[in-house]
Amino acid sequence: MAAVIARDLWATSSNASFPGPEGAVSVPVWGYSPTPGQCQVPGPLLEAMQGDTLQVTLHNTLPEPVSLIWPGQAVRPVPVKDTNGRFVSFHRHALPGGTFIYTVNATRPGTFRYESGSNPAVQVQMGLSGPLIVRPAGFSPSDPAQRTAYGPDTGSDFDAELLLVLGEVDSRLHTAAASGSAVDLRAFAPDWWVVGGRAYPDTVAPDAPGGVQPLSSALTVQAGRRLLIRCINSGFQTHALYLGGLAGRVIAEDGYPLMSPTLDATYSRHTLTVAPGQSFDIILTSPDPGEFYLYDRELLHCVNGERFPGGMMTRLTFAV
Amino acid sequence: MDLHLWAKAGFITTPDGNSIHVWGLTDQAGGPARVPAPLLILRQGEAVTVNLTNLLPEPVSLLFPGQQGVEALPEGGAWEPVRPQHEGGLLTSLAQAAPPGGSVSYRFTPQRPGTFLYESGSNPPVQVPMGLAGAVVIRPADYDPVSNRTAYGAGTGTEYDREYLLMTGEIDPDMHLAVQEGRPVDFAAYRPRYWTLNGRCAPDTMLPDDVAVLPSQPYGAMIMAEPGERVLIRYVGGSTANHPLHPHGNHARLVAVDGHLLRNGTADLSHKRFTVLVGAGQTYDSLFDWTGLGYTPSNPIPTVIPNVRNLAVGDAGWTMWSGTAYLGQKGDLPIGVVSYNEMGEYHFMLHSHEEPQLTNWGEFPGGLMTMLAIFPPGSLGPEVGRLGHGGGM
């Protein structure tokens, strides 16, 4: 039953917290929020069923134009130029204080993201991006036969799911952009690497509903259960997702399932390089209980400052 | 199989004369630290125990990604599943570690053939770039070095005549110096100046295994074969960056990634690539056979020996030419040149397509590059293209 899903997103500013050598460090962020209050990084999860229409109203409270682009969706972008013909946004934007309504037909299931198409080198780094999950037609979380990422016979049935949104934070860029100073993009140099907007050990802290960084990336599932990992790289660097020493089965790339009636092109990996903007869906399981750290095998991203452990790491527990 | 490894400090050298402090492993009591760590050649179904003695100033552990049922024997403990170690709820090590001066053992039975890594799970952003990582090759249960030489077992389409393993690496000399001097590492300032294959920068990559001048870098990276032979190259992303490796002259077929055959039932998912992005911590097995531009033994490619004035003449090992296939034919040597293509072999480059990395501290040529040489038929012995050199493990 196709539905119209109306959502409101406010582009706002807030402060996020990252682990430093002497306690938490506060860093200004921009993000999308389901309320006019503080923003969230990453942006709130948007969910739709295949066939639904998403109607997202963007309210821009930031001092520059902000937009939403929908990589992988059948949306025809309408670029915006200023009066001098200079390119401003990849797609229609909301001016400061203004709004814009985006209509997205969710035609195929998958793991996607949305992000700002305005001044994206700054705005996406500041936090203006979020995950979008489109459920296959007939999806039912309570019916194991219909609890799939891509529909029946795609090898995508799962018992539990975990969303890993990878990214980086360059605190100097954030401070400059938030204060309205000039941003020197040549000097882009992240000082935190994040999963779900948090750096380890914050990644394994519980969900914090209503907070700026609400998303935990830690999960406990029963040994032998099929875990679906939806990994999205929302950052600007590649990251090599190490699956804790376990073998994961890649079942989809960029929201395209690899199994069809005529060909099973799924494949197994221990580690997977995920480029900026890519998404991978991976089925992971462990026959035995145990704790497994998932982290960036580009190991220099697993630090906070001068110290390991930190950064882009999280923990998966297969319980008895 | 019972193996002993010692983690210790040492030095490697680069072709520009630099000497770099490293942390490596050796399988020889009292031997020099080796980068990369000794290649472990194991067999599917045959249990292995790896005993690690730590001669470094901080705890060291070993991870065996992709191996199942790995157990650890910490000092004064009993065998237990390998697992992350915590203190006050915070991760201290990804596996049970050997304290400085102490030891730890690991054991497992390889379940699947393939190409894998092993590496330190303690302070890995420092210890892995410092050199505590190596490759693991697991032979299929039915492997026979003479009659059944395959990467993944009979019937998997992975037969080969010669095999090579190329492990990538990066070296930021400032990181190594900081570790040498006991200073903290400034990760934000990390900037490699050298890029390596099997721990060596070009042109050292083209030297043979076990050369006396490189005691801590015993693995060569020169690919050698004859026309029509099937060559297996196992690429291993040993350090922390991704490298697009590109062999000239051949489109190689990727047959496995991370030790998993690219095959689902009857569906063959292997595919050709002329550049393979070898990701950090990942392995890629590729197969090619060089047939050349219409080459057959009875119809060698017409040869025009180049005028000496058109050659780049350098020291032994650097005077090479591959303008046209001239298998088995060579002209007169310029005065003072010991040899160029020694047997009239045909050289192709194999290198990273991030070409700033073909340098040694900014000087081209160097870095992440080697040669792939096709030799005249019958000129290579059976010992060429066999893993297991480099200290004899």
Side-chain angles (χ1 to χ4, degrees), chain A residues 172 189-191 193 200-201 204 238-242 244-249 259 262-274 287-310 313 315, chain B residues 63-69 83-84 86 89-94 112 116-117 119 121-125 128-129 133 175 184-188 190 237-242 257-260 262-264 267-269 277-284:
Chain A
R172 280 151 302 189
D191 37 11
W193 291 270
Y200 179 86
V204 300
T238 62
H239 298 291
L241 177 68
Y242 171 76
L246 300 168
R249 192 98 185 145
M259 189 186 287
T262 51
L263 178 66
D264 175 7
T266 63
Y267 57 92
S268 292
R269 297 302 302 259
H270 304 133
T271 305
L272 194 64
T273 296
V274 185
D288 304 312
E291 280 183 328
F292 300 87
Y293 276 85
L294 278 53
Y295 52 85
D296 186 358
R297 180 55 182 69
E298 298 179 28
L299 295 160
L300 304 164
H301 303 157
C302 298
V303 297
N304 296 327
E306 293 171 346
R307 293 245 177 85
F308 171 87
M313 305 181 71
R315 188 173 61 221
Chain B
L63 296 178
F64 296 89
Q67 309 305 328
Q68 292 158 270
R83 57 174 167 245
H86 297 90
L90 194 68
L91 180 73
T92 55
S93 173
L94 292 158
R112 298 184 295 109
F116 304 89
L117 285 106
E119 61 193 21
S122 303
N123 197 13
V128 170
M175 170 193 266
V185 171
D186 182 359
F187 292 103
Y190 179 81
S239 195
T240 65
N242 308 294
V257 291
D258 290 355
H260 294 275
L262 287 168
R263 180 179 284 202
N264 287 331
D268 178 10
L269 304 176
L277 183 65
V278 178
Q282 297 156 56
T283 74
Y284 296 79

Side-chain angles (χ1 to χ4, degrees), chain B residues 11 19-21 23 130 175-183:
Chain B
F11 287 88
S19 183
I20 309 277
H21 184 73
W23 288 355
M130 283 300 288
M175 170 193 266
H176 289 248
L177 191 62
V179 171
Q180 183 178 359
E181 295 176 348
R183 289 183 283 117

Side-chain angles (χ1 to χ4, degrees), chain A residues 214-238:
Chain A
L215 191 61
S216 176
S217 295
L219 190 69
T220 298
V221 288
Q222 219 176 323
R225 293 298 176 94
R226 285 167 66 90
L227 173 67
L228 170 67
I229 295 177
R230 299 177 185 265
C231 181
I232 300 170
N233 187 349
S234 287
F236 296 157
Q237 298 178 328
T238 62

Side-chain angles (χ1 to χ4, degrees), chain A residues 32-50:
Chain A
Y32 298 107
S33 167
T35 67
Q38 58 185 5
C39 69
Q40 292 182 11
V41 285
L45 172 65
L46 298 183
E47 273 186 276
M49 295 281 276
Q50 184 179 5

